Amino acid sequence: MDTDVNVREMVDVPSVEVISRAAVMLMSSAAEKLGLADDEPEHSATRDLDEARRLITALAGLVTASVEYLGAHAGPIRDGLQSLQRAFRETSAVPDPPGQGPGEKYTGPVH
């Protein structure tokens, strides 16, 4: 049964890797929703700031809750999160007040 194979494989994966993979998936999806994968992000067909806000907030919650377990992975993941938060702020036609942008209730204001 395929489910048994997947479960057995996940048992062997360290938690830091599972958390890091989830963070990378959230980052990638948020970047897509910000249109950052396109040459002209402001005209991207995939741009959806509401979806990007949700993904960035989920990422911020994950990072905040798991930072003590991430070790050497914490810095790059936090940097990626802050880059997405800044990109969101720059992209938004009506910027959120400091501390109220996506994920900022977990990370503090990002300028």
Side-chain angles (χ1 to χ4, degrees):
M1 189 171 173
D2 288 339
T3 305
D4 292 338
V5 173
N6 289 335
V7 170
R8 274 188 248 128
E9 288 175 3
M10 289 302 295
V11 167
D12 296 330
V13 179
S15 60
V16 67
E17 189 172 333
V18 174
I19 295 166
S20 297
R21 285 181 187 183
V24 168
M25 185 183 334
L26 289 165
M27 279 190 253
S28 297
S29 186
E32 288 282 340
K33 297 297 182 181
L34 288 170
L36 299 178
D38 293 337
D39 291 335
E40 296 183 40
E42 61 277 0
H43 300 295
S44 174
T46 63
R47 181 179 271 185
D48 184 334
L49 296 184
D50 188 47
E51 287 288 307
R53 176 184 295 278
R54 293 173 188 176
L55 292 161
I56 294 167
T57 299
L59 174 61
L62 174 65
V63 171
T64 300
S66 60
V67 71
E68 68 183 288
Y69 309 115
L70 293 174
H73 300 275
I77 292 172
R78 277 184 162 167
D79 290 346
L81 169 59
Q82 288 177 351
S83 293
L84 289 167
Q85 288 173 308
R86 281 190 207 96
F88 185 93
R89 186 168 292 285
E90 292 169 6
T91 300
S92 183
V94 181
D96 296 310
Q100 294 182 17
E104 291 182 357
K105 71 179 179 180
Y106 302 112
T107 64
V110 174
H111 304 281

